[in-house]
Amino acid sequence: MSFGSWRAVLASSILIKSEHTVTTVYLKKAEKTPETETATAQQVVNTMLAEIQANGEAAVKKYAADLDKWTGPLVVTQEEIAANATQVPRQVRDDIDFAIKQVSDFARAQRNSLTDFSVELHPGVTAGQRVIPVNVAGCYAPAGRYAHIASAYMGVATAKAAGVKTIIACSGPFRSGPMHPYLMYAFNQAGADIIMTLGGVQAIATMAYGLFTGKPADVIVGPGNKFVAEAKRTLYGKVGIDVFAGPSEIGIIADESADPAIVASDLVGQAEHGHESPAWLFTSSRSLAEEVMRRVPQLIDRLPPTARDAAGSAWRDYGEVILCDTREELVDISDHYASEHLEVHATDLDWWLQHLTCYGSLFLGEETIVAYGDKASGPNHVLPTKGAARYSGGLSVHKFLKTFTWQKMTREAARDIGLATARISRLEGMEAHARTADDRLAKYFPNQVFELGEAVKV
């Protein structure tokens, strides 16, 4: 079921589960769903990718000049990186270094949870797995109106912790000039091997095709606008990607113990991401819901102009407030929305941790907010949107790792496995498969007679 389809089901205010019926009341209902203009983006991206594939680096340089007004060198030198660091104030460097350590420590803990192993499945049959990092990762951070510092280290530090050999980092020029110095510093401190002043579709294509570096990326990660997201989607298969990204989302579960001022603040805090960023409140308290709805417009009105415009549109068009009777109903409705970010402002936090199953990242308790996760707490902020948390998590070391299996066996073991293989293969009509087992049985046990099954007559 698509995002729009299951949202339409929810609009009936009755969600039928296998064991019980959940009744919900929409105190505020969104008129829109966060669907991107896919058709337009696809057309633009397909044209650009075709030209870059045909004309290579020359096409990339042309797009950089036309779209970003950047005609300078695309690959940043070590001298430029060193000089750039001197432009970054000490407090900024300290804050970025602190955040990088948080992200790196969490990513290393994730990496350590994945281990190689071997196991004897049958006497003489040994099988196992190896966990191996990809060789080249491409990490993208958008340029935009401001420096997207956190996006720089979220990708690079996680790839570094995974053990990736070569990390290529790209971001566009800042306001038609060089890359923002804070962002470049973050890329370098997080462990990027190659840094490029390049944004948009042309950056994604450059990393995928290995232009300017001779190192095509195996995986490309990082947030971006709808054109960047579409470029990653189109190239998926040639390269791995992190998530199919859409507008940022927040869901908040709140009971009567929650502070409406804090809940309202957190909803607005994420709505400022953009005009299409949904903010959802799932609550069992009507009085809290009404107070939050009263406060949110006031908080939006106090924001600076750009943030006020984005948050105002997002709350007007995509904000929802949903009232449920029980915490079980809140779990049901929250899991169906599968929010990118999900905060829980309620008692008995362990209960929620055990029962919620669909979210990009979970923030338990008033003290633990999305902004912390976005910037500095540790877990990655590149997360699934548009319901994708029903089947996928966000960016982690797992995205940069390949889990391979291997096996070996003795000749005695090959007898038992070979007999089963030969007979099953013949039942499936795969005679050539069966004979590969027959040949080994005949070679290893020349004096024995085996029941090998009968070939299917077709």
Side-chain angles (χ1 to χ4, degrees), residues 49-95:
L49 290 179
E51 185 170 347
I52 292 171
Q53 192 166 25
N55 299 312
E57 295 178 1
V60 171
K61 290 178 180 178
K62 184 176 185 302
Y63 279 124
D66 292 347
L67 300 178
D68 290 333
K69 312 305 178 189
W70 178 252
T71 56
L74 298 182
V75 179
V76 182
T77 66
Q78 289 300 313
E79 291 75 18
E80 290 173 303
I81 292 171
N84 175 82
T86 64
Q87 302 178 48
V88 181
R90 166 58 63 184
Q91 186 63 65
V92 174
R93 295 201 303 269
D94 289 346
D95 288 343

Side-chain angles (χ1 to χ4, degrees), residues 232-248:
K232 288 165 62 181
R233 189 196 68 80
T234 301
L235 290 166
Y236 178 61
K238 178 177 178 60
V239 297
I241 64 172
D242 44 8
V243 294
F244 293 111
S248 186

Side-chain angles (χ1 to χ4, degrees), residues 138-202:
C139 298
Y140 184 78
R145 294 185 296 268
Y146 309 104
H148 289 260
I149 300 166
S151 295
Y153 53 74
M154 287 288 175
V156 174
T158 305
K160 195 73 173 179
V164 177
K165 294 177 183 177
T166 302
I167 301 172
I168 301 169
C170 283
S171 187
F174 183 64
R175 299 175 181 173
S176 301
M179 183 185 301
H180 195 290
Y182 299 173
L183 204 152
M184 186 186 295
Y185 178 83
F187 271 148
N188 185 60
Q189 288 298 103
D193 298 291
I194 300 169
I195 300 175
M196 302 185 68
T197 305
L198 192 60
V201 174
Q202 59 270 28

